């Protein structure tokens, strides 16, 4: 073990929430280290290529996309829009979202870390920690066969999986049943340039094939990623008909099923549907998308009622109008909408561990029930919780009152 590196604030995970957290902590003038096991930044946004940022805009049937998310998320989206050359899209239900390019997302994350002098450790896996009854004292990481130990002031878990709470044996919020995983892939050489027509053709042809028993029932869980049809290429998301268990071998099995699904689907489309006649698989996203993982138990657990009743909190640090999206293994997505033009808030307490004074969480592993995280996990929200967690962790490392910091976040961001 190589001794010892110090970080005032250590951020675990380089996804949307981790980038936001690291930037905020660095803005507070602290030494910040970000640990990421992948060789690139972006988390699910780039590894699973989910393709659009949701949770940035108001839920509204108006055509114009109006921001509901806080200032950092808005600035992030505006930069990404320029780098990607995209604009917000909306659907008739009133949902607005921003398509982006994968490489533009990676570049923006990298630029932000450089600009704020965050020390990044890519290809680096956090595997253990030491703690007292009330504090995480240090964490150990492994990079290319070498181990290092970081002593820390405070730490933010943006692993998407409550990993620090798992390693510290702290109380976790688990699900009895996890949402369906999905795989994104890209087809090239399509003979259709209108995305909505392509989506309709795909849906109609798959329904017909299922009815005629040429394809299995689960081929109805196939979706075009909005805004992805360019240069005769399109990205498609398939819902995987296999349970997500979070057991180590589960990920391999999901990946195997995804590849079989893609090849069967593509083969059928090429043979039977004229717009796909010349198509072939250009690319398969490196990672299967796991929607929900384990979550750290915080000082408050966000609930389904908070979401659906659009509850506001005195320590609310994120505004959210995204619906509860439930993706199951055996059916298409079920969506429960909020009241139009309204929103709920996420209290700062959802980002604070209920046992460790210097442990914070952000993104898809904040303290929330199954139904609540099914709304709060989208990236526009991860950017907001990440940014707030960064300031809160900085306040904890500096020993300044958290209540003042939360007040400042609310004034500046919302
Ligand atoms: C199929 C699918 C489709 C989706 N579609 C959309 C969409 O269209 N729009 C939208 O806004 N949201 C969408 N989401 C949700 C959204 O993508 C995620 O909830 C969000 O990106 C999570 O961000 P995060 O920062 O919390 O976690 P992640 O993006 O998961 O980042 C966690 C990071 O931590 C790293 N990490 C984990 N453990 C370790 C370790 N031990 N050591 C070092 N690094 C580690 C991981 O490598 C990863 O990079 C989708 C999700 C899925 C699965």
């Amino acid at each position: 073990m190589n001794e010892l590196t110090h970080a005032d604030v250590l951020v675990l995970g380089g996804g949307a929430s981790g980038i936001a957290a690291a930037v905020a902590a660095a803005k507070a003038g602290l030494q910040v280290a970000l640990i990421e096991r992948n060789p690139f930044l972006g988390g699910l946004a780039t590894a699973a290529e989910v393709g659009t940022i949701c949770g940035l805009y108001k839920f509204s049937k108006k055509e114009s996309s109006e921001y509901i998310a806080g200032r950092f998320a808005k600035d992030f989206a505006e930069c990404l829009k320029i780098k990607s050359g995209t604009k917000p899209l909306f659907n008739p239900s009133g949902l607005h979202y921003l398509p982006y390019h994968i490489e533009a997302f990676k570049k923006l994350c990298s630029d932000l870390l450089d600009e704020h002098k965050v020390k990044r450790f890519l290809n680096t896996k956090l595997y253990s920690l030491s703690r007292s009854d009330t504090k995480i004292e240090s964490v150990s990481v492994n990079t290319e066969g070498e181990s290092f130990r970081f002593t820390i002031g405070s730490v933010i878990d943006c692993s998407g999986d409550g990993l620090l709470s798992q390693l510290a044996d702290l109380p976790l919020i688990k699900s009895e049943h996890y949402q369906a995983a999905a795989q994104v892939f890209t087809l090239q050489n399509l003979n259709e340039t209108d995305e909505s027509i392509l989506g309709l053709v795909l849906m109609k042809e798959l329904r017909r094939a299922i009815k005629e028993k040429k394809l299995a029932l689960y081929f109805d869980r196939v979706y075009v990623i909005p805004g992805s049809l360019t240069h005769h290429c399109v990205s498609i998301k398939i819902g995987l008909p296999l349970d997500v268990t979070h057991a180590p071998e589960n990920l391999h099995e999901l990946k195997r099923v995804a590849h079989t699904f893609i090849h069967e689907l593509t083969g059928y489309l090429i043979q039977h549907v004229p717009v796909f006649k010349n198509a072939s698989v250009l690319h398969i996203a490196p990672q299967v998308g796991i929607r929900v993982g384990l979550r750290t138990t915080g000082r408050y657990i966000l609930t389904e009622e908070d979401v659906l009743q659009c509850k506001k909190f005195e320590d609310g640090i994120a505004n959210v109008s995204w619906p509860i999206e439930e993706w199951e293994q055996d059916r298409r997505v079920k969506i429960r909408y909020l009241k139009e033009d309204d929103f709920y808030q996420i209290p700062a307490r959802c980002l604070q561990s209920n046992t460790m004074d210097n442990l914070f969480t952000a993104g898809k592993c904040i303290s929330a029930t199954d139904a609540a995280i099914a709304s709060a996990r989208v990236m526009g929200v991860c950017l907001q919780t990440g940014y707030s967690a960064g300031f809160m962790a900085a306040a904890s490392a500096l020993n300044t009152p958290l209540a003042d910091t939360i007040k400042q976040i609310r004034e500046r961001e919302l």
Side-chain angles (χ1 to χ4, degrees):
M1 170 92 64
N2 289 322
E3 291 290 311
L4 255 176
T5 312
H6 178 77
D8 298 327
V9 176
L10 185 129
V11 178
L12 171 61
S17 63
I19 299 298
V23 167
K27 278 192 175 179
L30 298 185
Q31 265 187 29
V32 183
L34 181 140
I35 308 295
E36 170 53 56
R37 67 184 167 194
N38 286 333
F40 53 84
L41 298 167
L44 286 173
T46 56
E49 302 185 359
V50 304
T52 63
I53 301 199
C54 304
L56 291 168
Y57 309 107
K58 276 187 181 164
F59 171 49
S60 160
K61 298 227 166 76
K62 287 189 207 121
E63 280 190 21
S64 63
S65 301
E66 234 180 284
Y67 282 101
I68 183 82
R71 195 186 291 175
F72 173 79
K74 178 180 163 202
D75 292 346
F76 185 98
E78 287 297 311
C79 284
L80 187 61
K81 202 160 84 174
I82 294 166
K83 281 189 196 295
S84 298
T86 51
K87 57 178 190 269
L89 300 174
F90 71 100
N91 70 17
S93 312
L95 298 180
H96 298 245
Y97 31 78
L98 179 68
Y100 61 87
H101 288 162
I102 307 303
E103 293 309 318
F105 199 107
K106 286 183 190 165
K107 177 85 170 75
L108 176 56
C109 293
S110 180
D111 289 352
L112 282 169
L113 296 190
D114 285 346
E115 187 189 331
H116 293 90
K117 303 195 172 30
V118 172
K119 221 166 167 200
R120 76 186 77 174
F121 295 82
L122 298 180
N123 290 310
T124 302
K125 190 168 176 182
L126 190 150
Y127 67 90
S128 76
L129 55 77
S130 68
R131 71 164 173 98
S132 67
D133 286 346
T134 54
K135 284 202 160 176
I136 309 282
E137 311 276 5
S138 70
V139 299
S140 298
V141 304
N142 188 288
T143 181
E144 288 159 18
E146 283 205 64
S147 292
F148 293 85
R149 194 153 65 92
F150 281 89
T151 56
I152 50 172
S154 60
V155 58
I156 312 170
D157 191 339
C158 302
S159 66
D161 221 7
L163 186 77
L164 291 170
S165 297
Q166 291 188 52
L167 293 172
D169 211 9
L170 302 175
L172 285 155
I173 304 171
K174 297 181 180 173
S175 306
E176 268 174 34
H177 166 74
Y178 289 93
Q179 291 206 7
Q183 175 72 56
V184 174
F185 69 104
T186 303
L187 288 177
Q188 62 185 351
N189 297 331
L190 303 179
N191 305 329
E192 176 57 67
T193 51
D194 184 315
E195 195 171 282
S196 42
I197 294 178
L198 184 74
L200 286 175
V201 168
L202 187 63
M203 198 176 6
K204 199 175 111 212
E205 294 294 341
L206 291 178
R207 281 192 182 154
R208 191 212 310 260
I210 291 165
K211 203 167 160 205
E212 292 171 0
K213 300 208 178 329
K214 290 181 181 150
L215 288 176
L217 195 59
Y218 52 77
F219 280 87
D220 68 344
R221 275 146 260 163
V222 174
Y223 304 81
V224 168
I225 306 261
S228 70
L229 179 60
T230 50
H231 304 103
H232 301 279
C233 296
V234 75
S235 295
I236 290 180
K237 176 172 69 184
I238 53 175
L240 301 178
L242 188 73
D243 282 345
V244 172
T245 64
H246 293 281
E249 67 284 358
N250 184 231
L251 210 50
H252 294 292
E253 191 51 15
L254 286 165
K255 205 161 189 165
R256 191 191 62 72
V257 168
H259 283 236
T260 310
F261 192 146
I262 290 169
H263 291 296
E264 196 179 342
L265 174 68
T266 312
Y268 179 87
L269 294 174
I270 292 168
Q271 227 188 334
H272 298 279
V273 186
V275 291
F276 292 95
K277 196 171 110 200
N278 303 314
S280 58
V281 176
L282 175 66
H283 169 74
I284 299 178
Q287 203 172 301
V288 169
I290 304 289
R291 289 192 166 88
V292 179
L294 309 183
R295 283 143 274 148
T296 297
T297 307
R299 299 199 177 172
Y300 183 80
I301 301 178
L302 188 75
T303 67
E304 179 175 343
E305 292 70 39
D306 297 336
V307 171
L308 293 175
Q309 290 167 15
C310 292
K311 191 151 174 197
K312 320 289 186 292
F313 293 89
E314 273 184 13
D315 62 339
I317 45 74
N319 290 342
V320 191
S321 69
W322 196 254
I324 294 176
E325 283 183 69
E326 285 157 327
W327 300 76
E328 297 301 334
Q329 281 78 2
D330 57 357
R331 59 166 163 77
R332 282 174 74 87
V333 61
K334 182 173 145 203
I335 300 185
R336 286 187 284 159
Y337 296 96
L338 275 60
K339 238 184 299 155
E340 201 183 333
D341 288 319
D342 205 350
F343 62 94
Y344 69 93
Q345 290 187 321
I346 297 178
R349 285 163 290 155
C350 291
L351 317 184
Q352 280 177 276
S353 157
N354 70 348
T355 41
M356 297 283 121
D357 292 340
N358 67 342
L359 171 60
F360 299 84
T361 59
K364 79 197 243 286
C365 57
I366 60 167
S367 177
T369 62
D370 286 2
I373 202 66
S375 160
R377 67 193 166 80
V378 291
M379 282 188 276
V381 185
C382 293
L383 290 167
Q384 297 184 74
T385 55
Y387 199 63
S388 298
F391 280 113
M392 289 162 69
S396 158
L398 290 164
N399 261 322
T400 52
L402 214 49
D404 293 352
T405 303
I406 293 166
K407 197 166 158 241
Q408 283 162 14
I409 296 169
R410 284 168 59 80
E411 280 165 9
R412 276 198 307 247
E413 281 294 299
L414 299 186

